[in-house]
Amino acid sequence: MAIQLQQVSYTYADNSLWKQTALHDITFGVPQGSLTGIAGATGSGKSTLLQLFNGILKPTQGTVSVLEVTIRAGEKSPKLLPLRRRVGLVFQFPEQQLFEDTVEKDLCFGPLNFGMSPEEARERARKAMLEMGLDLALLARNPFRLSGGQMRKAAIASVLAMDPEIVVLDEPTATLDPVSRAELISQLERLCREQGRTIIIVTHRMDELLPYADRWILLKDGELAFQGSGGELAEDPDILARCGLGVPHSLRYWRAIADRFGLAGEKPCLTAESLAERLASLPGTGISAGTAEMGDAHE
């Protein structure tokens, strides 16, 4: 496992009258090289959970194991600087952390602080730009003169420049337009599938991540409400409503079609294209492959 939590709880201001427990007895694992989605209503503990992954926060109960590093409640933490190089944490609106006068300087800042040579830092910057699908010509540009989508990708590239094995992103598509959101999710999935990086994404737009995520973790009031695959989630989509989340349209459509045509147990079709193709293959629906393709094009 890339990350393993065992009976983890976290309480803010633990030794004061104003203490507040944000996470209660959480146990789950994130497989290495997987793409994991995390969802939950506001106040469910998502942001607190993310900060446990690279030691920003320490559990007040339980054990957090990340790669070969183990952090136990009540014990002195191991050296965390090497871990923070291997676990890249991308907070909401990461472009607000850009501050240099060129994109290249911003991307080199982290690697240089971790002791890399200027040439190695520049090479990491170029590699990270390509990983995010950005033109290398943008390296010389002022980051604040980029488009919103480019700026978001450049900010994520500044984390990738440190070559982390695990990348944790908090609402990476927030405020982006639909095309930029789709491009960013595609880039992140490619990092997972082609490079074997472990990608963890907190999102409230489950629809855009459902077709790609290997597994999901749902939180409710600081407790683990669900962990499993998208297929398992599709078997009981009402768990989302119980967690205070809206049920994505793709799950609603698949559940309705699966119930009507007896497709329970199949791998769910969670994109418009795959759902149209599956419908076209069913006898008696009156939908041909050509009609399905036209419907996809119209979408």
Side-chain angles (χ1 to χ4, degrees):
M1 290 287 179
I3 297 174
Q4 181 74 53
L5 273 65
Q6 292 285 348
Q7 296 180 307
V8 168
S9 297
Y10 184 80
T11 300
Y12 288 97
D14 191 30
N15 297 316
S16 78
L17 295 174
W18 297 274
K19 67 180 181 180
Q20 181 178 4
T21 300
L23 296 173
H24 309 261
D25 195 28
I26 302 286
T27 296
F28 68 79
V30 176
Q32 201 139 7
S34 64
L35 177 56
T36 299
I38 298 178
T42 300
S44 62
K46 302 185 299 297
S47 295
T48 300
L49 181 65
L50 298 193
Q51 294 177 73
L52 292 169
F53 293 162
N54 72 350
I56 292 177
L57 297 180
K58 219 181 130 178
T60 48
Q61 291 181 16
T63 302
V64 177
S65 298
V66 184
L67 301 171
E68 300 87 26
V69 177
T70 299
I71 305 171
R72 292 186 176 88
E75 296 184 6
K76 183 178 179 180
S77 296
K79 291 183 179 179
L80 295 174
L81 189 61
L83 178 66
R84 288 170 182 165
R85 176 176 170 178
R86 300 173 71 190
V87 181
L89 189 54
V90 182
F91 292 103
Q92 285 192 49
F93 312 117
E95 58 272 20
Q96 295 178 0
Q97 297 168 232
L98 299 173
F99 62 94
E100 294 282 9
D101 58 358
T102 70
V103 172
E104 184 176 48
K105 287 182 181 179
D106 256 313
L107 268 62
C108 288
F109 181 81
L112 288 172
N113 275 338
F114 278 109
M116 297 180 197
S117 68
E119 182 52 43
E120 186 180 6
R122 286 192 292 270
E123 181 56 35
R124 288 287 182 88
R126 289 190 288 269
K127 181 182 177 185
M129 290 286 283
L130 294 174
E131 287 174 341
M132 291 309 299
L134 292 170
D135 193 319
L136 293 180
L138 297 177
L139 283 167
R141 294 272 298 276
N142 185 302
F144 304 105
R145 295 186 178 277
L146 304 180
S147 69
Q150 288 173 331
M151 194 181 296
R152 180 70 52 85
K153 288 181 179 181
I156 295 173
S158 71
V159 173
L160 294 180
M162 291 179 281
D163 199 24
E165 297 166 51
I166 301 172
V167 183
V168 184
L169 305 103
D170 191 359
E171 300 281 6
T173 63
T175 72
L176 297 182
D177 62 81
V179 172
S180 296
R181 293 201 304 266
E183 288 178 352
L184 181 53
I185 291 297
S186 177
Q187 293 290 344
L188 294 172
E189 190 205 13
R190 189 173 297 116
L191 290 176
C192 178
R193 307 307 178 204
E194 296 181 2
Q195 299 185 14
R197 297 183 199 253
T198 303
I199 306 292
I200 301 171
I201 300 175
V202 168
T203 183
H204 70 279
R205 297 180 182 275
M206 292 185 68
D207 256 323
E208 63 189 15
L209 194 58
L210 270 169
Y212 309 107
D214 300 306
R215 57 189 289 102
W216 284 91
I217 293 166
L218 303 184
L219 297 177
K220 180 184 180 184
D221 299 329
E223 298 182 354
L224 183 66
F226 172 88
Q227 61 173 319
S229 67
E232 291 172 307
L233 192 58
E235 291 297 314
D236 183 19
D238 289 340
I239 184 67
L240 292 164
R242 296 195 291 272
C243 290
L245 298 167
V247 180
H249 293 304
S250 56
L251 281 185
R252 290 183 185 276
Y253 296 153
W254 171 253
R255 187 74 264 152
I257 290 168
D259 290 344
R260 179 175 177 182
F261 295 102
L263 306 181
E266 276 195 20
K267 181 180 178 180
C269 299
L270 298 176
T271 65
E273 295 80 7
S274 62
L275 191 59
E277 289 175 5
R278 187 67 183 97
L279 279 171
S281 71
L282 295 172
T285 61
I287 300 175
S288 67
T291 301
E293 289 175 2
M294 288 176 64
D296 294 345
H298 179 70
E299 290 290 331

